[in-house]
């Protein structure tokens, strides 16, 4: 039951119990009390005839005034006892209701303190199905979200440290070797240091970009663009590299595709990233194809390659930060493992989705992304 009717009913119960106790005391206790007082009065008259004056009575049968007085005394006494009992019952019920409300609130306050001091695993148990139960449930959800953010933060620091360590170790080791004369002072040595320094720079730039896109601080200039415009933006920049590696790049777009609402540069960056990966993970002589189709109020783009392919598990994991299927190979190519994480954020920030499918290892992979054909910010 909800808290609102619960409270109303509990107040009503308090009032009803009070009334019931008072009615019971006037119905059952007051008449007996009155009868007892009348008996006492009669007895004292029998034992001490003529002494009635002491009890405020005249000699002879009791007058109406005396009977009224006894009645009022009896009623007042039972009302005092009845009222006391009613207050006692009301106090008990109110204390129980107040305890039921304040106990989880106090537990939540204590749990918040523990969470604030770093115990993110703190959770509260509840069997209540009212607003208090809902509050406890929301509290637990918040604690779980905080715990996962904290885990991600720690993981991110560990990952960044790990990513920085490899190129830094190479640079430091090479420089020490040069100083000691163990490594020859050749252009190849300087090229190696240069490459590692470049990798560090790219990693830092990627991290900066990731932090901006994850923090929602990136401004998107959403304008209508024809899908062909977007595809040209990316292919113009990468076609020479496809030719160099002898990979056939084909584009097949239907003629009547509607315009998408997107930031050309940022979406172009996504497509460049997907094409760059397709280029990297497809051996020479392979094919990469870009195609698109119009769906309900969106256009779905796809980049399909005939490359190394992905396992079903990796199809989702590759969107996690720093995740690389073949670590040594991806690192050797300078990949930071953040490209797809950024790409997914960029697409989602514009109202679309990005995902990957593959028929398995060695069978190529396809990356899909959708973009709306209406202004996402206006409709959302
Ligand atoms: P990276 O900079 O390492 O390429 P990404 O985030 O772009 O980082 O990609 C993450 C990982 O996903 C890559 O290391 C690679 O293992 C896998 N991957 C991405 N694109 C493809 C593809 N077209 N075919 C097979 N594996 C891919």
């Amino acid at each position: 039951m909800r808290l609102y009717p619960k409270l109303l009913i509990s107040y009503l119960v308090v009032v009803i119990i009070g009334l019931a106790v008072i009615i019971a005391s006037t119905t059952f206790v007051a008449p007996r009390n009155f009868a007892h007082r009348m008996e006492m009065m009669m007895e004292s008259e029998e034992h001490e005839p003529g002494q009635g004056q002491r009890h405020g009575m005249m000699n002879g049968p009791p007058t109406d005034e005396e009977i009224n007085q006894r009645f009022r005394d009896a009623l007042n006494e039972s009302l005092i006892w009845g009222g006391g009992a009613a207050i006692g019952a009301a106090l008990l019920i109110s204390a129980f209701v107040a305890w039921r409300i304040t106990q989880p609130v106090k537990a939540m306050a204590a749990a918040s303190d523990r969470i604030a001091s770093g115990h993110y695993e703190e959770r509260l148990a509840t069997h209540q199905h009212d607003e208090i139960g809902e509050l406890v449930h929301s509290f637990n959800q918040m604690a779980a979200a905080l715990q996962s953010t904290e885990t991600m933060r720690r993981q991110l620091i560990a990952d960044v440290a790990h990513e920085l360590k490899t190129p830094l170790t190479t640079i430091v080791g090479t420089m020490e070797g040069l100083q000691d004369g163990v490594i020859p002072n050749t252009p190849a040595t300087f090229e190696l240091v240069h490459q590692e320094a470049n990798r560090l720079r790219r990693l830092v730039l990627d991290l900066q970009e990731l932090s901006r896109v994850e923090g929602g601080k990136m401004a998107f200039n959403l304008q209508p663009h024809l899908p062909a415009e977007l595809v040209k933006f990316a292919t113009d920049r990468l076609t020479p590299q496809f030719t160099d590696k002898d990979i056939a790049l084909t584009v097949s777009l239907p003629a009547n595709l509607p315009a998408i609402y997107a930031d050309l540069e940022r979406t172009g960056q996504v497509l460049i990233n997907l094409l760059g990966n397709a280029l990297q993970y497809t051996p020479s002589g392979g094919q990469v194809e870009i195609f698109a189709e119009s769906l309900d109020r969106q256009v779905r783009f796809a980049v399909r390659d005939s490359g190394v392919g992905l396992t079903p598990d990796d199809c989702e994991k590759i969107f996690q930060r720093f995740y690389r299927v073949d670590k040594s190979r991806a690192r050797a190519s300078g990949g930071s493992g953040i490209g797809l994480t950024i790409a997914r954020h960029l697409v989602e920030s514009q109202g679309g989705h990005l995902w990957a499918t593959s028929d398995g290892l060695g069978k190529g992979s396809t990356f899909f992304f959708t973009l709306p054909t209406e202004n996402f910010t206006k409709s959302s």
Side-chain angles (χ1 to χ4, degrees):
M1 196 193 287
R2 314 289 295 165
L3 194 58
Y4 183 76
K6 256 190 203 170
L7 281 175
L8 275 185
I9 290 173
S10 69
Y11 289 137
L12 211 65
V13 167
V14 167
V15 172
I16 290 172
I17 289 182
L19 275 177
V21 172
I22 288 170
I23 290 172
S25 68
T26 51
T27 313
F28 303 111
V29 184
R32 277 195 209 169
N33 199 348
F34 176 59
H36 179 65
R37 279 166 190 272
M38 291 301 289
E39 259 171 41
M40 297 254 295
M41 190 174 78
M42 294 307 186
E43 271 174 25
S44 91
E45 184 59 23
E46 271 171 27
H47 293 307
E48 297 171 62
Q51 295 300 309
Q53 202 74 40
R54 291 211 323 258
H55 301 283
M57 296 184 307
M58 303 303 291
N59 288 339
T63 62
D64 283 354
E65 174 56 27
E66 286 163 352
I67 294 172
N68 277 346
Q69 180 64 42
R70 294 294 173 278
F71 178 73
R72 274 197 302 275
D73 288 350
L75 190 65
N76 283 345
E77 194 183 308
S78 13
L79 277 178
I80 287 170
W81 283 106
I87 290 174
L91 269 178
L92 272 180
I93 294 175
S94 307
F96 175 71
V97 172
W99 175 81
R100 289 271 292 179
I101 295 174
T102 53
Q103 188 264 337
V105 174
K106 275 190 195 163
M108 258 185 277
S112 309
D113 283 348
R114 284 194 292 275
I115 287 176
S117 60
H119 298 278
Y120 294 95
E121 67 290 342
E122 197 68 38
R123 298 289 180 279
L124 292 171
T126 181
H127 303 294
Q128 285 173 249
H129 298 289
D130 52 16
E131 285 88 339
I132 298 279
E134 283 170 12
L135 187 61
V136 171
H137 182 67
S138 306
F139 179 89
N140 284 342
Q141 277 184 331
M142 185 199 68
L146 280 176
Q147 189 177 19
S148 105
T149 308
E150 177 61 11
T151 312
M152 273 164 63
R153 189 184 67 84
R154 285 199 191 140
Q155 186 62 46
L156 179 65
I157 294 175
D159 286 342
V160 171
H162 181 76
E163 295 299 322
L164 293 175
K165 207 172 85 186
T166 317
L168 278 176
T169 309
T170 313
I171 293 174
V172 172
T174 314
M175 295 312 285
E176 281 174 0
L178 275 172
Q179 279 173 336
D180 298 345
V182 183
I183 294 178
N185 176 359
T186 60
T189 309
F190 291 117
E191 179 55 28
L192 177 72
V193 173
H194 185 240
Q195 265 179 12
E196 294 300 307
N198 245 339
R199 180 179 303 179
L200 281 178
R201 191 174 62 94
R202 257 203 313 270
L203 176 63
V204 171
L205 289 177
D206 279 355
L207 281 172
Q208 258 181 345
E209 176 119 338
L210 182 66
S211 117
R212 283 201 304 143
V213 72
E214 280 189 339
K217 296 209 176 88
M218 205 171 252
F220 288 87
N221 177 21
L222 300 183
Q223 298 291 337
H225 294 286
L226 283 176
E229 202 184 337
L230 170 70
V231 172
K232 186 172 179 314
F233 182 94
T235 49
D236 276 357
R237 287 160 178 77
L238 286 177
T239 304
Q241 296 170 43
F242 275 87
T243 315
D244 280 355
K245 199 175 168 185
D246 186 27
I247 294 176
L249 176 63
T250 53
V251 178
S252 20
L253 300 178
N256 56 351
L257 281 178
I260 44 153
Y261 261 90
D263 184 313
L264 186 64
E265 290 240 344
R266 304 223 185 278
T267 319
Q269 186 185 336
V270 171
L271 194 51
I272 288 174
N273 190 311
L274 298 182
L275 285 175
N277 280 345
L279 177 72
Q280 187 179 339
Y281 299 105
T282 303
S284 294
Q287 297 115 42
V288 173
E289 187 187 358
I290 304 173
F291 55 95
E293 62 180 319
S294 171
L295 301 175
D296 178 34
R297 287 185 289 172
Q298 55 185 355
V299 172
R300 189 176 72 175
F301 295 85
V303 176
R304 183 193 292 148
D305 65 54
S306 61
V308 297
L310 292 160
T311 62
D313 192 33
D314 282 335
C315 280
E316 190 46 44
K317 283 191 177 160
I318 51 172
F319 293 98
Q320 295 170 7
R321 298 183 194 117
F322 301 116
Y323 186 82
R324 304 176 183 104
V325 178
D326 180 349
K327 299 199 174 7
S328 53
R329 178 170 161 176
R331 216 176 253 141
S333 67
S336 60
I338 318 181
L340 287 176
T341 319
I342 296 175
R344 184 174 256 184
H345 275 292
L346 288 176
V347 171
E348 287 178 353
S349 303
Q350 298 179 81
H353 297 286
L354 168 61
W355 69 100
T357 60
S358 171
D359 289 335
L361 291 178
K363 295 186 178 156
S365 27
T366 309
F367 285 75
F368 292 98
F369 67 95
T370 58
L371 284 169
T373 51
E374 286 164 11
N375 196 335
F376 166 64
T377 45
K378 270 188 204 152
S379 59
S380 63

